[in-house]
Amino acid sequence: MYLEIVSPEATLFSSEVDSVILPGINGEFEMLKNHAPIVSLLKEGTIKINTNSQSTLVVDELHASIVPQKDNKKILTVKINSGTLEMKDNKVIILAD
């Protein structure tokens, strides 16, 4: 599935991913490939991006808000204040603050 995280300043992340865990307004939820189409509001929290099947992933200083977890470098995290998510046709777009 393809994930794109966009803020008012820049595109924070844009790549194929295995799954994404999100801070929904009614609790944390995970999205996998072939998830049903959905639109959801996100609250303050951390987006966790699972990139296990990726052989290489470049996180440069432009994307400094993307942080690999200490115990698992294939899980990336992004802190958000709020946001909106749309999933359709295996593409997830997150508009984050």
Side-chain angles (χ1 to χ4, degrees), residues 51-83:
T51 61
N52 279 330
S53 66
Q54 302 288 355
S55 57
T56 60
L57 189 64
V58 177
V59 179
D60 55 28
E61 47 193 58
L62 176 65
H63 302 95
S65 59
I66 306 290
V67 180
Q69 283 189 341
K70 292 178 184 170
D71 56 340
N72 186 347
K73 300 293 184 203
K74 295 288 189 168
I75 304 287
L76 306 175
T77 59
V78 182
K79 294 195 181 294
I80 62 168
N81 293 323
S82 64

Side-chain angles (χ1 to χ4, degrees), residues 6-47:
V6 180
S7 76
E9 294 82 27
T11 298
L12 301 177
F13 184 84
S14 183
S15 180
E16 285 288 327
V17 299
D18 296 331
S19 67
V20 61
I21 300 172
L22 303 149
I25 58 171
N26 292 322
E28 191 174 78
F29 64 99
E30 182 174 18
M31 298 185 69
L32 303 167
K33 185 176 181 180
N34 296 322
H35 193 286
I38 184 175
V39 174
S40 180
L41 295 175
L42 303 175
K43 66 177 184 175
E44 182 177 358
T46 302
I47 298 172

